[in-house]
């Protein structure tokens, strides 16, 4: 039976090879062995349980907390000819009853169910009658109170399984790999000596950058303009910022929408659909957006603010490029972000299900995670290596696909400028932040300057002819190199460190990196098919089919499948089947329409 998996992979999903880890997981589940799979976002977890689900004799239940993911996956499976359904609170009572009665009659091979539903009497009764071969627990880290997304309803899973006449095989899937979470998953779900599969965390098609713009709004516009027509997500740390950024993009004519927990359910749903169905190109959102959004053609994820930890960053950024095509992950970093992140940690409500001590330990952990995040933003080494090593992978020192590896700098001596800045901080009494220091050096007249009589200082206006942007960059640089430091939360003030005093006394020199070219993206592929007339024509066919079937365009075919069509120019069924992402069902349903366009294109003597 195990040999048949390739046939299912190809005929149903249209792929010829398994990705790292997939085959091992499929094999284990097919031989009825429990699995704990840890794979990063976009690695292809779903296939690992969907293939066994189609091959095992009974039904597979997929437990997932994510309503939109269930809908997308069921849509995608149905488009591939698989009988699947979902049961969650988005269904009306009548729809729910219908799905349940179909389920009782054995109409589905795969059923997605929300954890809250598991222990309702009617669901248990129906489930007990069914031959359930496999239970796949998606986002399994939700069982753990140590994870970021603890969901008490996940604790129902074991109780539910115990009510079944025979225990199915259990596969637990997550992208979170910390040891506590792993232990919790195994213990709470009572996995039976599971096969543990952890795949590498690297996502080679993603370009990572950290930038420190002097004006975030301007830089954002520039980045988005460079990517006009592409699908992107912009994450902000607060609802207010989401509102501002979305408005400013819309005012400038960009096709943007927004998502945060302060919007009514209905608007959230509508905005999300607008984005998923390509009616809007840009989603501006808080971290409330994204869990379970399986939109594979996101070409960039920009973080307007630094997230609280690297785990969240990697997960959010990882929503780019799930189709395997090149995509950009850009983090905009500013001093203010550190304060906001600290504020969030300090104002997190204690979890009532934990003891005071546990809550305190959790808060400490969050602080540690934040300092890792800050170091990522400040590191001058390879960004990819930094992340991979943090997640326990090995990595080369340089990846040639991140802003630190690809940006060119030259070192310049800035000792004199540094002395001016340090001296200004000392003479104004080490009680001001970067903005005030910059104002004094620049010789500005602000209320603060007047109130504190800062214009009487000897350092007032001594950098009059230097652009504020440059002064700020120098201040950042001095901070990064440890000559000055920020003290206090809220409105942190600058103090000169011992190393800074040495510079002031003329005993040390300061070098700064002057950026020559900053890269935030791989130069777009030289593959000319990517922009071709044919690609656009195929996109149109895809959109028409998607509208007709009421599903998002990427459910019909991913961008990468369309690119492969442009490369292979298939005109027979056999050739069409050779396209990556085309299985028998998709050939049958859509082949003719795509082939017609390709034929027309070839006829035009291309
Ligand atoms: P995850 O749940 O791990 O975030 P998904 O299951 O959503 O990832 O898969 C991400 C994308 O990768 C999907 O578009 C999926 O179709 C594609 N994919 C999965 N497995 C393969 C494979 N073996 N070959 C090519 N593409 C694959």
């Amino acid at each position: 039976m195990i040999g048949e998996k390739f046939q299912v992979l190809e005929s149903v999903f249209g792929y010829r090879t398994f990705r790292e880890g997939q085959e091992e997981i499929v094999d284990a589940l097919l031989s009825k062995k429990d699995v704990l799979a840890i794979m990063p976002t976009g690695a292809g977890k779903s296939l690992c349980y969907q293939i066994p689900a189609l091959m095992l004799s009974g039904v597979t239940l997929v437990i997932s907390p994510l309503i939109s993911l269930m809908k997308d996956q069921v849509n995608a499976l149905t488009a591939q000819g698989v009988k699947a359904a979902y049961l969650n609170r988005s269904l009306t009572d009548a729809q729910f009853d219908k799905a349940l009665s179909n389920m009782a009659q054995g109409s589905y091979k795969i059923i997605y169910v929300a954890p809250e539903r598991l222990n309702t009497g009617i669901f248990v009764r129906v489930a007990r009658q069914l031959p359930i071969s496999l239970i796949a627990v998606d986002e399994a880290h939700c069982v753990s109170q140590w994870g970021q997304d603890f969901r008490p309803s996940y604790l129902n899973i074991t109780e539910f399984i115990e009510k079944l006449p025979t225990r199915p095989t259990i596969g637990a899937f997550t992208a979170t790999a910390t040891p506590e979470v792993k232990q919790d998953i195994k213990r709470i779900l009572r996995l039976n000596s599971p096969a543990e599969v952890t795949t590498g965390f690297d996502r080679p098609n993603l370009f990572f950058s950290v930038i420190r713009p002097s004006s975030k709004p301007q830089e954002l516009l520039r980045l988005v303009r460079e990517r006009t027509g592409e699908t992107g997500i912009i994450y902000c740390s607060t609802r207010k910022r989401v509102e501002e950024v979305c408005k400013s993009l819309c005012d400038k004519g960009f096709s943007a929408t927004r998502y945060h927990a302060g919007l009514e359910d209905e608007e959230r749903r509508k905005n999300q659909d607008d984005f998923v169905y390509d009616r809007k190109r840009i989603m501006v959102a808080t971290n409330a957006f994204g869990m379970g959004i399986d939109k594979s053609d996101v070409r960039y994820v920009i973080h307007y603010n630094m997230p609280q930890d690297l785990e969240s960053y990697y997960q959010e950024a990882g929503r780019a490029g799930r189709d395997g095509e090149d995509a950009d992950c850009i983090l905009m970093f500013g001093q203010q972000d550190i304060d906001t992140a600290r504020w969030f940690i300090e104002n997190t409500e204690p979890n009532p299900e934990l003891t005071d001590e546990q809550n305190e330990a959790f808060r400490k952990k969050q602080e540690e995670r934040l300092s890792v995040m800050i170091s990522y933003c400040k590191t001058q080494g390879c960004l990819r290596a930094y992340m991979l090593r943090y997640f326990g992978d090995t990595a080369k020192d340089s990846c040639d696909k991140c802003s630190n590896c690809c940006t060119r700098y030259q070192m310049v001596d800035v000792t004199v400028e540094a002395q001016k800045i340090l001296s200004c901080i000392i003479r104004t009494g080490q009680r001001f932040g970067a903005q005030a220091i910059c104002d004094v050096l620049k010789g500005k007249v602000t209320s603060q300057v007047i109130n504190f009589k800062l214009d009487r200082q000897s350092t007032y206006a001594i950098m009059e002819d230097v652009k504020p942007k440059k002064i700020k960059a120098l201040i950042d640089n001095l901070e990064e190199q440890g000559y000055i430091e920020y003290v206090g939360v809220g409105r942190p003030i600058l103090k000169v460190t011992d190393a800074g005093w040495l510079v002031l006394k003329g005993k040390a020199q300061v070098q700064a990196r002057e950026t020559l070219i900053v890269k935030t993206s791989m130069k777009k592929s030289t593959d000319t098919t990517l922009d071709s007339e044919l690609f656009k024509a195929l996109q149109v066919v895809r959109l028409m089919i998607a509208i007709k079937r009421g599903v998002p365009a990427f459910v019909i075919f991913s961008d990468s499948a369309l690119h492969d069509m442009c490369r292979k120019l298939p005109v027979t069924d056999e050739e069409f089947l050779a396209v990556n992402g085309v299985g028998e069902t998709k050939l049958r349903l859509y082949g003719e329409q795509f082939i017609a366009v390709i034929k027309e294109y070839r006829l035009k003597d291309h």
Side-chain angles (χ1 to χ4, degrees), residues 38 146-147 176-183 311 365 369 390:
I38 298 162
W146 291 107
T176 309
T178 56
E180 295 105 326
V181 174
K182 243 166 89 169
Q183 281 314 319
E311 287 87 347
K365 227 193 174 103
R369 289 192 187 126
Y390 176 68

Side-chain angles (χ1 to χ4, degrees), residues 15 17-19 22 40-47 294 296 322:
Y15 301 130
T17 47
F18 282 107
R19 290 191 182 155
Q22 286 180 327
T41 315
K45 288 187 275 297
S46 340
L47 224 69
D294 180 25
S296 64
R322 292 170 84 144

Side-chain angles (χ1 to χ4, degrees), residues 9 13-20 22 39-51 69 73 76 80 138-139 173-175 203 293-297 318 321-324 554 558 560 580-581 586:
L9 176 70
F13 298 96
Y15 301 130
R16 263 147 285 275
T17 47
F18 282 107
R19 290 191 182 155
E20 189 192 346
Q22 286 180 327
M39 297 163 88
T41 315
K45 288 187 275 297
S46 340
L47 224 69
C48 299
Y49 55 79
Q50 288 170 348
I51 290 185
L69 177 117
Q73 298 234 332
Q80 271 145 342
D138 205 9
E139 312 290 348
F173 295 83
T174 177
R203 299 274 312 278
I293 307 288
D294 180 25
K295 188 165 170 57
S296 64
D297 57 356
R322 292 170 84 144
D323 54 10
F554 65 84
S558 65
S560 90
N580 219 4
K586 289 197 174 180

